[in-house]
Amino acid sequence: AQKVTQAQTEISVVEKEDVTLDCVYETRDTTYYLFWYKQPPSGELVFLIRRNSFDEQNEISGRYSWNFQKSTSSFNFTITASQVVDSAVYFCALRDSNYQLIWGAGTKLIIKP
Amino acid sequence: SQTIHQWPATLVQPVGSPLSLECTVEGTSNPNLYWYRQAAGRGLQLLFYSVGIGQISSEVPQNLSASRPQDRQFILSSKKLLLSDSGFYLCAWSLSGTGQPQHFGDGTRLSIL
């Protein structure tokens, strides 16, 4: 069965610290897609990144980077030099042969000034 | 570019009253459309999805229903609201095809009194 686990319910760091959000997934499919979304306090969900199972290259976008490791079924998200505006709930999600997204429970990230 | 509009932003309704939430997408044709519910402090639960006009799939048995009267219009309804229907409702769209990311509206905060 498909499953996404975000074991960190809440993380609190001081501004400018680096922080990594963990995501572990389960699927029997060889073809699948992984996603990260950000939900700021205002509520809307913002798409951040999509990764397919055949592309294990790590990705960097500004202060954001993603580490995809199939060997450990993980797709971790790192924010470098965190800022207060990064405070949000972050969701990891999986889509395989099933049509719908399987969502993690989310990690609430608090960046203190 | 594509945009998604969802309204109203907030809604307070008495128990037993009807509900109609509307979502429209612009800038694309034949999108997949989704309705999610998010309880406070929790992850997302898929309620309905649609791959075309008049085609609705329900994920969770409940007193809610969805309709897609036009290609880019998705409506969430209820004849009689329950207290348990309170939550944050999100509409999303995606291009058809495997692995396409979903893009979300701003959401509707529904409170049942």
Side-chain angles (χ1 to χ4, degrees):
Chain A
Q2 310 95 333
K3 187 179 178 181
V4 175
T5 302
Q6 293 181 257
Q8 304 150 309
T9 305
E10 183 174 306
I11 301 174
S12 181
V13 301
V14 177
E15 199 173 20
K16 296 184 183 178
E17 287 185 13
D18 299 347
V19 58
T20 295
L21 310 181
D22 298 333
C23 174
V24 175
Y25 61 92
E26 295 177 28
T27 178
R28 293 183 179 178
D29 286 2
T30 56
T31 301
Y32 53 89
Y33 297 83
L34 296 163
F35 303 81
W36 274 97
Y37 284 83
K38 174 182 180 180
Q39 187 176 37
S42 52
E44 76 277 14
L45 272 157
V46 179
F47 165 66
L48 296 178
I49 189 171
R50 175 187 66 177
R51 246 0 205 191
N52 73 56
S53 52
F54 299 108
D55 183 1
E56 284 193 76
Q57 281 193 337
N58 292 330
E59 180 145 346
I60 298 175
S61 176
R63 296 183 296 106
Y64 294 174
S65 62
W66 290 269
N67 183 5
F68 176 30
Q69 291 196 339
K70 290 177 75 171
S71 60
T72 55
S73 297
S74 65
F75 186 42
N76 296 338
F77 174 29
T78 296
I79 301 176
T80 304
S82 60
Q83 300 176 3
V84 172
V85 293
D86 295 326
S87 296
V89 179
Y90 291 86
F91 290 95
C92 180
L94 161 74
R95 178 172 173 167
D96 53 18
S97 56
N98 198 353
Y99 58 86
Q100 61 173 287
L101 285 177
I102 306 301
W103 294 83
T107 297
K108 184 176 183 179
L109 178 63
I110 300 170
I111 310 296
K112 299 177 182 178
Chain B
S1 63
Q2 302 91 349
T3 56
I4 179 169
H5 302 280
Q6 186 182 340
W7 67 93
T10 59
L11 190 59
V12 180
Q13 293 284 95
V15 170
S17 64
L19 173 73
S20 180
L21 302 181
E22 189 164 341
C23 172
T24 59
V25 179
E26 295 176 359
T28 187
S29 295
N30 197 32
N32 291 343
L33 297 172
Y34 311 84
W35 277 111
Y36 286 90
R37 177 169 59 202
Q38 185 179 30
R42 296 197 172 184
L44 287 89
Q45 178 187 41
L46 179 64
L47 301 175
F48 301 95
Y49 78 99
S50 171
V51 298
I53 296 175
Q55 301 178 61
I56 308 293
S57 294
S58 173
E59 290 303 305
V60 182
Q62 59 216 328
N63 68 320
L64 298 172
S65 62
S67 62
R68 185 170 177 173
Q70 299 180 46
D71 181 44
R72 290 168 291 174
Q73 183 185 29
F74 206 24
I75 298 172
L76 182 69
S77 305
S78 174
K79 292 182 180 178
K80 276 189 175 184
L81 286 167
L82 306 173
L83 282 174
S84 57
D85 291 323
S86 291
F88 189 49
Y89 288 82
L90 287 152
C91 181
W93 74 273
S94 73
L95 295 173
S96 58
T98 306
Q100 294 293 334
Q102 294 178 16
H103 303 278
F104 289 80
D106 290 340
T108 296
R109 296 194 184 278
L110 176 63
S111 299
I112 310 300
L113 303 179

